[in-house]
DNA sequence: GCTCTTATATCAGTAGTCTGATATCATTGT
DNA sequence: ACAATGATATCAGACTACTGATATAAGAGC
């Protein structure tokens, strides 16, 4: 079917037209993140870990004893969203909740041995995907990129 | 509360530590996109339009008569996802489905007058947010960014 | 003491996003 | 003509992610 006799216009390919250098920067950002997320989840598929779960496990490992609210702030997510992610991780027995001795409302979170083991396996794979992102970049270019991304996140922060 | 007598470590601020120049590029990307999405949805809040809805309305306007499958390919989303977005847009009477005369399975999508009016109002606001992203960038830097984002999207495509 | 504010966690509802499974229509091959 | 293949749409289930509402605990001010 090479003839285009119907009147629905053709949509350009990824790198072309509005989907390339023209078009919204926000759209290109979203496209890139979606691709990166899919790559990550494909890499962690056999471990049953999603990208957000990996992020939260990483945070808990780095700052053990944090509360859900702490994690929500760190990940720039709402407490409700974090609550769901933590609940899913708990259901899979990858973390534990301990009641804070000083604050009965607060729950101190920490990884189980199982969670830590999975995190360690995941880390290498995620790092590898991350390095693909920076391939073909000079150190200066990567530095510029990182600074720009942080600035974008901070500017819309509130 | 300036003393940190409890043993839960403090989590750094956005630009600092692992949340700044170090840390995963993928994480920084996600943070930036989340911030951008929130800014966009805040700007379109009174119109009741989400960022994905804006994208789909823009696509339908540019390529009227496209099918859900066409749009899914263009937006790099699955047909199921597109189906949900289209259903929500139809529920809000911002688009119409016409059955394709040549293919009873296919549905040709087009904006209603209402949808088009909303799209036109939205456009300026979204463009403004997009320009904030590119503020402080030289044309060369912006060009480099766009190329990198397209490359990231294309590389993990499939 | 008691109230007001703040912080924490969670329930409910909506929207987006994926994978997997189905049903239906169109095209192609024989 | 008919079976196989492919394209389209959609249902179901799971995980994010948001807003809004609620309950409870801690701390501040009176």
């Amino acid at each position: 079917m090479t003839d285009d006799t119907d009147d629905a216009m053709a949509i350009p390919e990824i790198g072309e037209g509005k989907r390339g250098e023209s078009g919204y920067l926000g759209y290109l950002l979203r496209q890139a993140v979606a691709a990166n997320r899919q790559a990550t989840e494909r890499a962690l598929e056999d471990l049953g870990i999603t990208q957000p779960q990996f992020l939260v496990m990483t945070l808990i490992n780095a700052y053990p004893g944090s509360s859900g609210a702490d994690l929500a702030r760190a990940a720039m997510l709402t407490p409700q969203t974090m609550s769901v992610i933590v609940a899913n991780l708990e259901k899979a027995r990858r973390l534990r909740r301990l009641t804070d001795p000083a604050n009965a409302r607060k729950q101190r979170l920490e990884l189980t041995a199982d969670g830590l083991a999975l995190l360690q396996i995941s880390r290498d794979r995620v790092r590898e995907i991350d390095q693909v992102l920076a391939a073909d970049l000079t150190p200066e270019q990567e530095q510029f990129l990182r600074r720009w991304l942080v600035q974008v996140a901070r500017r819309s922060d509130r």
Side-chain angles (χ1 to χ4, degrees), chain A residues 76 147-158:
Chain A
M76 296 222 308
R147 261 201 263 271
W148 182 72
L149 290 172
V150 168
Q151 191 190 6
V152 169
R154 195 154 26 185
R155 189 145 40 185
S156 307
D157 190 34
R158 194 186 43 88

Side-chain angles (χ1 to χ4, degrees), chain A residues 27-152:
Chain A
Y27 172 59
L28 299 183
L29 256 174
R30 259 167 46 94
Q31 237 178 199
V33 166
N36 176 250
R37 204 193 84 191
Q38 276 193 281
T40 303
E41 306 214 328
R42 235 180 287 142
L44 301 183
E45 204 169 25
D46 57 320
L47 304 176
I49 297 179
T50 65
Q51 196 185 43
Q53 286 171 357
F54 173 77
L55 165 59
V56 171
M57 289 167 72
T58 300
L59 284 173
I60 294 180
N61 185 243
Y63 309 104
S66 298
S67 68
D70 290 335
L71 298 178
R73 278 186 290 270
M76 296 222 308
L77 298 173
T78 61
Q80 294 95 317
T81 297
M82 188 54 70
S83 182
V84 172
I85 299 174
V86 165
N88 283 332
L89 285 173
E90 191 192 23
K91 195 168 49 180
R93 306 207 173 284
R94 298 205 278 263
L95 64 75
R96 234 188 318 266
R97 310 160 115 113
L98 309 176
T99 46
D100 192 312
N103 186 335
R105 200 91 193 95
K106 211 163 178 169
Q107 299 176 355
R108 301 168 62 82
L109 304 173
E110 59 177 46
L111 294 182
T112 60
D114 220 52
L116 181 58
L118 284 176
L119 176 59
Q120 281 161 348
I121 298 174
S122 309
R123 239 201 292 258
D124 295 340
R125 304 191 192 172
V126 173
R127 214 183 314 260
E128 201 173 324
I129 292 176
D130 220 63
Q131 278 158 2
V132 173
L133 291 184
D136 310 333
L137 294 184
T138 67
E140 292 75 27
Q141 288 174 328
E142 184 175 343
Q143 185 64 19
F144 161 72
L145 260 175
R146 287 176 179 275
R147 261 201 263 271
W148 182 72
L149 290 172
V150 168
Q151 191 190 6
V152 169

